[in-house]
Amino acid sequence: SCGLLLAGCLHGALGCRLRRGMCFLHLGGLRTALYNYIFARKHQGSFILRLEDTDQSRVVAGAAEGIEDMLDWAGIPPDESPHKGGPVGPYQQSHRLELYKRASEVLLENGAAYRCFCTPQRLELLKKDALRNRQTPRYDNRCRHLSSERVAEKLAQGSDYVVRFRLKEGVEPFHDLIYGWSKHDVATVEGDPVILKADGFPTYHLANVVDDHHMGISHVLRGTEWLTSTSKHLLIYRAFGWDPPRFGHLPLLLNKDGSKLSKRQGDIFLEHFVQDGCLPQALLDIITNCGSGFSGNQMGRTLEELILEFDVSRITTHSALLDLNKLPEFNRIHLVQQIGDERLRQKLVMELQMQVEKVYGDRLVDREVLEKNYVERVLLLRKGHINRLKNLVAPEYSYLWVRPSVSREQLQTISAEVDEIGKLVIGLMEGPTAALTAEGLNEDLRGLQEQMRGTEYSSMMKLLRLALSGQQHGPSVAEMMVSLGPREVCERIKKALSN
Ligand SMILES: [Zn+2]
């Protein structure tokens, strides 16, 4: 998975760590990114995407672009990033190796770090022994005590080594923006951690400290899984003599039942929601609605409102429970808002035009159904009834784009008065008084039914619905007539009667 680790601001940063297999943005990462974006906006800071790609075995081609594209899609683009650049770049850790190497030399010189020549075999044996004794595996810090002569000898032999950070006992507590006072005496539970690997690449512990310092990061908001490592990171800051940023650890985002939001479910990656026609605004809304940081939970908040209401002191340590079953409703609400907004509606019109062209293409009634006015009318009429734009290109709405094939015979099974009904409706549509609102048409249709000898109102509606759409269910007949327009209504009735 791709864990978006940190970010922050006044000069904020968002780190992204690449792991093998999948490295695309998932909902948990999106949430971390969003909190950082909001925090940066709130405090006039910068939102930085930094790519943590120093684990070469886990780097996935295209992952960086994927993450940046998804942040753009979500409407929370970084101010500085590998793609955009910026004043404190490069923003890819694999391009900053010299910096980490120099930093590790500083720590080697001042005694805060040392070279470890232990072979992978020895470390493997240590691990097996610990597991056999039911203990947590940890490095035994053996190379801490190598004499300088021995080190020189090993280096002269060209032995591989890693650089380890010397953990000190007695860490100072730090004040987490969310968890409050916190400390983890790492030296008593862990062996000295590797900060520079044999291949010259840094581990996260070193790279994040060095980058946060050089990039001027003032605040780090990252997932709660890093809370216990923070004491270790603070020891590294102290070894360099640097002031650390402020940290805030975000509680977990879990499924509604409290289970882990897992990539195994496959549907938590943003690509899935893009393909599913989900509005980014709905996604941002749902992942902040289940958590904290805002004055209350309320559906339909826009990003601007989220920024306005956000207060980091309102984030609690409770896990946020996400109910994805509610996503369609969130999407419906945001769709209503966007259709109601002149500027956003034009974007939806263009999007729907593209989808119609893609799905129906050369089967279209005529090119006029692709015109802006027609598509916009459809959107306005269906507002509140759809929870995805793509609902409107589904088979139940195909009548909006292609003529149904309905036979006279089918219509006659509903009422024998097909010709009379057809004639009256055509007359109504061609007449100068035809009111082109669903409300007005409803009244007109009631009036027409009174002229029938033996057809009930419900049968007349059933017949017209079939003639106009080929369907037995759907929007009201009056609404169908408004969306299709008088000319198309007449065409369809004439066509059905002559079939
Ligand atoms: Zn060693």
Side-chain angles (χ1 to χ4, degrees):
S1 74
C2 168
L4 285 154
L5 305 181
L6 46 107
C9 76
L10 286 198
H11 207 190
L14 172 79
C16 178
R17 171 168 265 208
L18 301 182
R19 304 238 174 101
R20 187 175 12 225
M22 296 210 228
C23 184
F24 300 103
L25 199 57
H26 66 64
L27 288 182
L30 177 68
R31 179 164 159 273
T32 306
L34 175 62
Y35 275 99
N36 278 282
Y37 177 89
I38 293 176
F39 192 84
R41 285 290 160 279
K42 194 106 196 165
H43 298 95
Q44 289 79 48
S46 304
F47 173 51
I48 298 175
L49 173 68
R50 183 172 78 218
L51 210 62
E52 296 180 341
D53 58 348
T54 58
D55 189 342
Q56 290 296 293
S57 67
R58 291 167 159 176
V59 169
V60 180
E65 292 77 11
I67 289 160
E68 213 165 328
D69 286 351
M70 284 300 101
L71 290 177
D72 287 346
W73 174 80
I76 53 171
D79 298 309
E80 300 165 28
S81 68
H83 185 67
K84 288 201 178 86
V88 294
Y91 294 84
Q92 251 165 302
Q93 289 186 329
S94 58
H95 296 173
R96 301 168 66 85
L97 297 179
E98 193 53 37
L99 197 60
Y100 310 127
K101 189 166 169 280
R102 283 208 309 272
S104 72
E105 279 160 7
V106 168
L107 297 184
L108 281 171
E109 264 163 47
N110 72 15
Y114 60 90
R115 293 181 180 85
C116 164
F117 295 93
C118 292
T119 60
Q121 291 81 351
R122 174 169 193 270
L123 297 175
E124 191 55 34
L125 276 179
L126 271 182
K127 194 171 159 186
K128 277 187 184 156
D129 275 354
L131 291 174
R132 196 176 309 125
N133 298 323
R134 294 172 194 281
Q135 286 170 337
T136 311
R138 55 189 277 193
Y139 176 60
D140 61 359
N141 300 347
R142 188 167 83 161
C143 296
R144 258 192 191 194
H145 312 292
L146 287 180
S147 65
S148 46
E149 293 79 23
R150 187 88 181 103
V151 171
E153 198 180 300
K154 286 273 191 190
L155 287 176
Q157 289 166 2
S159 306
D160 273 350
Y161 66 86
V162 299
V163 177
R164 289 188 187 267
F165 182 74
R166 193 187 297 268
L167 289 179
K168 288 204 176 108
E169 283 186 35
V171 298
E172 287 164 21
F174 66 96
H175 194 263
D176 188 87
L177 291 168
I178 294 154
Y179 282 78
W181 288 103
S182 182
K183 74 165 186 174
H184 297 272
D185 212 343
V186 278
T188 62
V189 290
E190 291 179 31
D192 291 337
V194 174
I195 54 173
L196 199 74
K197 292 177 283 186
D199 61 5
F201 281 75
T203 60
Y204 174 68
H205 304 305
L206 179 68
N208 95 86
V209 168
V210 169
D211 286 342
D212 284 352
H213 173 72
H214 287 291
M215 291 181 163
I217 304 303
S218 59
H219 291 76
V220 174
L221 297 181
R222 60 183 178 186
T224 185
E225 69 271 22
W226 294 103
L227 183 61
T228 54
S229 299
T230 305
S231 287
K232 182 160 45 192
H233 299 157
L234 290 171
L235 286 174
I236 301 177
Y237 277 103
R238 214 202 303 164
F240 281 117
W242 295 338
D243 285 332
R246 295 293 311 272
F247 290 94
H249 288 86
L250 298 165
L252 289 172
L253 184 63
L254 301 173
N255 289 317
K256 193 180 155 211
D257 63 4
S259 64
K260 209 174 155 209
L261 207 60
S262 159
K263 63 186 169 197
R264 255 168 289 151
Q265 289 157 304
D267 57 1
I268 59 166
F269 287 93
L270 258 64
E271 280 76 2
H272 162 79
F273 297 100
V274 176
Q275 273 163 25
D276 204 35
C278 181
L279 291 172
Q281 295 80 1
L283 214 50
L284 297 184
D285 195 13
I286 195 171
I287 59 172
T288 47
N289 233 276
C290 57
S292 47
F294 306 91
S295 46
N297 285 342
Q298 172 203 328
M299 290 169 101
R301 275 188 293 218
T302 61
L303 183 56
E304 289 69 32
E305 287 164 331
L306 288 173
I307 294 170
L308 212 60
E309 286 182 33
F310 179 76
D311 182 346
V312 75
S313 71
R314 286 200 181 113
I315 302 178
T316 66
T317 57
H318 301 293
S319 297
L321 301 183
L322 179 67
D323 185 0
L324 279 178
N325 291 328
K326 288 187 184 152
L327 186 55
E329 180 59 8
F330 273 89
N331 216 61
R332 189 187 70 81
I333 289 170
H334 281 270
L335 211 43
V336 168
Q337 281 183 4
Q338 296 190 11
I339 293 172
D341 177 293
E342 172 67 29
R343 188 181 59 85
L344 296 174
R345 182 164 70 237
Q346 298 318 316
K347 280 181 72 183
L348 293 174
V349 166
M350 282 194 286
E351 171 63 29
L352 185 54
Q353 283 170 323
M354 274 183 344
Q355 291 191 26
V356 172
E357 177 74 52
K358 200 172 153 200
V359 175
Y360 294 100
D362 47 15
R363 289 190 289 141
L364 293 174
V365 179
D366 55 48
R367 307 303 291 179
E368 278 173 32
V369 298
L370 270 180
E371 278 176 9
K372 180 182 158 284
N373 286 347
Y374 181 82
V375 176
E376 187 170 25
R377 190 162 76 220
V378 167
L379 269 182
L380 285 166
L381 286 165
R382 284 286 85 196
K383 185 177 81 168
H385 298 280
I386 49 168
N387 53 45
R388 297 274 198 279
L389 206 53
K390 70 174 183 183
N391 290 158
L392 290 174
V393 293
E396 59 181 301
Y397 284 112
S398 61
Y399 71 89
L400 290 167
W401 322 110
V402 293
R403 278 188 194 139
S405 76
V406 182
S407 68
R408 181 188 183 86
E409 209 175 11
Q410 278 174 287
L411 298 178
Q412 267 170 335
T413 61
I414 301 170
S415 166
E417 295 178 290
V418 280
D419 291 307
E420 290 84 344
I421 294 172
K423 213 173 134 197
L424 285 171
V425 173
I426 289 170
L428 176 67
M429 288 289 110
E430 288 174 343
T433 57
L436 264 183
T437 63
E439 215 175 34
L441 274 175
N442 265 328
E443 240 172 76
D444 293 339
L445 289 169
R446 288 264 173 210
L448 292 190
Q449 190 269 332
E450 279 161 19
Q451 302 174 40
M452 297 286 114
R453 278 167 289 120
T455 308
E456 302 269 327
Y457 184 71
S458 61
S459 300
M460 185 173 130
M461 291 303 110
K462 201 174 163 188
L463 185 146
L464 284 173
R465 180 189 300 283
L466 189 63
L468 295 176
S469 70
Q471 313 266 341
Q472 294 181 334
H473 306 282
S476 73
V477 170
E479 190 197 305
M480 283 181 174
M481 293 167 92
V482 176
S483 50
L484 292 172
R487 194 176 59 87
E488 183 62 20
V489 169
C490 294
E491 284 298 319
R492 291 191 183 192
I493 290 172
K494 283 175 195 162
K495 181 179 171 242
L497 290 180
S498 61
N499 267 354

